[in-house]
Amino acid sequence: MENLLYIAAIIAAVGFLILCISLAVTFFSVKKTLANVAVTVEHLDSNLQDMTKETALLLHKTNALTEDIQYKSSQLNGLVTSVKGFGDTVNQFNHSMQRITSSVTNEVERNEDKIAQVVQWSNVVLSIRDQWKERKSLEEAGYYTYKAKQTKQEDPNYRSTL
């Protein structure tokens, strides 16, 4: 039985040796992984610092842009107010023109007969004026109109047609 005890001790020693070897392999793998993690953390730290700087610059630019937009917006508000005032003025002008047009139309409708008489009389006056101009141009050209009983004594330019 003593042999059995030795065999059990050898089996236990071999098992312990296998356990130690597997723990050693595991620890070496963990050591390698932790080394990679450390390198990654270092790179992450430097990348994070770069990102922080870029974020700060971006934040400053955003603030400057916001101030610029607010300034331009306040200037634009004045322009919008001016355009609104111009639009109101145009609306008032249109309303005034509509009132004037309506008033003129009403007056023309009320005075239609008078306007027709004025047009007729103006046509008569223009006709008389045209006849007078035509007669004058004919006289200047040397033509005379027939006047009853015109004699040489009355007109020195009298030409006898007989």
Side-chain angles (χ1 to χ4, degrees):
M1 271 257 200
E2 249 182 61
N3 282 341
L4 205 53
L5 197 56
Y6 287 124
I7 292 177
I10 289 176
I11 291 176
V14 170
F16 185 71
L17 180 64
I18 292 174
L19 177 67
C20 287
I21 290 173
S22 18
L23 281 176
V25 169
T26 302
F27 285 145
F28 281 122
S29 294
V30 168
K31 181 180 175 185
K32 224 178 190 184
T33 302
L34 286 177
N36 286 337
V37 168
V39 169
T40 303
V41 167
E42 286 178 18
H43 288 291
L44 183 63
D45 185 39
S46 66
N47 287 340
L48 189 58
Q49 287 177 0
D50 291 341
M51 282 178 46
T52 303
K53 290 177 186 176
E54 289 179 17
T55 303
L57 287 173
L58 183 62
L59 186 60
H60 290 300
K61 287 180 182 179
T62 303
N63 287 339
L65 184 61
T66 301
E67 289 175 6
D68 187 45
I69 288 173
Q70 287 175 344
Y71 174 72
K72 289 179 180 176
S73 175
S74 67
Q75 288 182 335
L76 189 61
N77 287 340
L79 178 65
V80 168
T81 303
S82 298
V83 169
K84 183 185 180 301
F86 180 74
D88 292 343
T89 302
V90 168
N91 284 338
Q92 290 173 353
F93 178 73
N94 285 341
H95 183 66
S96 297
M97 290 303 292
Q98 287 173 350
R99 282 194 348 248
I100 290 170
T101 303
S102 175
S103 173
V104 166
T105 303
N106 290 339
E107 286 296 318
V108 166
E109 287 174 357
R110 277 191 8 219
N111 297 321
E112 241 178 74
D113 294 336
K114 292 178 184 177
I115 291 171
Q117 287 177 352
V118 166
V119 169
Q120 285 176 350
W121 280 107
S122 64
N123 286 338
V124 168
V125 169
L126 289 175
S127 175
I128 292 172
R129 181 186 62 120
D130 289 343
Q131 287 177 1
W132 184 76
K133 280 186 176 181
E134 184 179 335
R135 182 176 289 163
K136 188 169 181 154
S137 67
L138 286 174
E139 286 177 359
E140 287 175 359
Y143 295 102
Y144 294 98
T145 58
Y146 176 74
K147 293 182 184 176
K149 297 183 183 179
Q150 188 175 24
T151 63
K152 194 173 193 179
Q153 289 125 3
E154 293 174 359
D155 188 5
N157 294 326
Y158 174 74
R159 291 189 217 164
S160 175
T161 57
L162 299 177

